[in-house]
Amino acid sequence: MMSGRAGSALTESDDSQGAIVLCAAARNVPIGLRVPATILAIFRGVADTGSTHEGRVDGRSIAVFRAQDVTKTYTMGEVQVHALRGVSLELLEHQFVVLLGPSGSGKSTLLNILGALDTPTAGRVWFREHELTAASEYALTELRREHIGFVFQFYNLIPSLTALENVRLVTDIATDPMDGREALGLVGLGSRLDHFPSQLSGGEQQRVAIARAIAKRPDVLLCDEPTGALDVETGRVVLEALARIHAELGTATVVITHNAAISRMASRVVRLADGRVVADEINPDRVPASHVEW
């Protein structure tokens, strides 16, 4: 299905806090390092072939992701929670898309399914021509490691590693990564390479997380409430970093948020409510990230 390259073997075990213990690691990462489960999920698995990336068809944008009648239902005791109710949409390469909706609208669930971190109860999902709902766990691991960059609301940095070492967690196992210094430079942290997370502000830590996500040169960047834990000024800096990456690298970018102001910088806005897509609009009046106010 998707192709990658050989990387260092990663094995894990759960401790009493639900954290993950890294038993064998990529070079430059100490053995025995505790790694957040959300990050290890992106690494898990090893591939051994060369990588390929598709471009454009007849000069037209093509779909990076396609979802068809996707539903997701969680069972909590005797109660069923319908997180997604028949969602169908396409996300195109090179677009900057905001998935906008209130808490409980299903936007995080949709992002996790597109990013192969979760599976739908029903429906089908494709990454380019590859059907994810029919893929093996091995193939989904390869997809996450090689083709998708993740940015979460909480930064998931390793406290005992510097900014550069946190980025190298990804570059050491990716097929064709950019240099970690280059990735940090793109988010304005070229002078903070050797700082530990505790020595960085919240906005700087989030920018390290963005650098880590884009360092593998992903086809798509999936961002789950990237400004949710930040104040307005710091959040704007993070949005400017995302906009710069989109402009310079052309990476398809999907940002989920409950903050309608952020949608002003998107090329396309998809609105969700009660597990359904209720609007899908091209934004004719985009503003720079520096002009976003909330």
Side-chain angles (χ1 to χ4, degrees):
M1 186 178 164
M2 282 73 65
S3 56
R5 72 157 172 81
S8 300
L10 299 176
T11 60
E12 81 260 22
S13 61
D14 294 318
D15 67 12
S16 61
Q17 302 300 315
I20 296 295
V21 179
L22 190 63
C23 302
R27 65 181 183 276
N28 301 324
V29 181
I31 291 177
L33 185 68
R34 291 162 56 88
V35 179
T38 49
I39 299 304
L40 194 58
I42 299 167
F43 296 161
R44 192 177 290 118
V46 179
D48 58 8
T49 58
S51 175
T52 60
H53 294 274
E54 295 183 29
R56 303 170 70 85
V57 176
D58 298 328
R60 294 178 287 107
S61 292
I62 58 177
V64 178
F65 286 115
R66 182 160 58 95
Q68 178 181 309
D69 298 324
V70 169
T71 67
K72 181 67 177 183
T73 302
Y74 298 98
T75 300
M76 304 176 66
E78 297 181 356
V79 177
Q80 286 196 325
V81 178
H82 300 281
L84 294 175
R85 303 170 184 262
V87 170
S88 296
L89 81 163
E90 289 187 346
L91 299 175
L92 304 181
E93 63 178 8
H94 310 309
Q95 280 190 327
F96 193 112
V97 180
V98 163
L99 298 183
L100 180 65
S103 177
S105 61
K107 55 189 187 297
S108 290
T109 300
L110 178 59
L111 196 78
N112 288 339
I113 289 173
L114 293 176
L117 293 172
D118 199 358
T119 56
T121 303
R124 303 171 74 185
V125 180
W126 290 265
F127 169 77
R128 299 197 185 280
E129 79 277 17
H130 306 293
E131 184 174 353
L132 303 187
T133 37
S136 67
E137 184 57 41
Y138 180 92
L140 295 177
T141 295
E142 189 179 0
L143 168 72
R144 292 189 299 263
R145 190 182 59 246
E146 296 292 339
H147 299 283
I148 303 176
F150 295 91
V151 179
F152 302 101
Q153 178 176 349
F154 301 103
Y155 325 122
N156 292 313
L157 301 181
I158 310 304
S160 59
L161 299 182
T162 65
L164 182 57
E165 289 167 341
N166 267 283
V167 174
R168 282 178 172 166
L169 281 171
V170 167
T171 61
D172 282 347
I173 64 171
T175 299
D176 182 30
M178 65 178 68
D179 183 81
R181 295 175 178 83
E182 179 185 356
L184 286 163
L186 278 172
V187 298
L189 292 177
S191 64
R192 308 283 271 171
L193 305 180
D194 297 322
H195 288 71
F196 292 94
S198 62
Q199 299 171 314
L200 301 172
S201 69
E204 288 172 330
Q205 290 183 60
Q206 186 63 293
R207 282 186 281 158
V208 173
I210 293 170
R212 180 182 59 198
I214 59 103
K216 58 178 149 182
R217 305 182 194 272
D219 294 60
V220 60
L221 187 61
L222 301 181
C223 308
D224 189 350
E225 296 277 9
T227 64
L230 305 173
D231 61 63
V232 175
E233 291 300 322
T234 305
R236 189 179 295 114
V237 171
V238 167
L239 294 177
E240 289 173 343
L242 291 173
R244 180 181 179 186
I245 289 163
H246 179 257
E248 295 190 13
L249 303 182
T251 307
T253 303
V254 181
V255 175
I256 73 167
T257 182
H258 64 277
N259 187 343
I262 294 175
S263 67
R264 298 178 62 211
M265 65 179 287
S267 57
R268 178 182 170 198
V269 182
V270 179
R271 299 175 187 270
L272 286 90
D274 195 28
R276 297 181 174 92
V277 173
V278 295
D280 188 345
E281 306 161 336
I282 299 299
N283 183 5
D285 301 310
R286 296 180 67 184
V287 302
S290 59
H291 293 179
V292 173
E293 299 279 354
W294 68 88

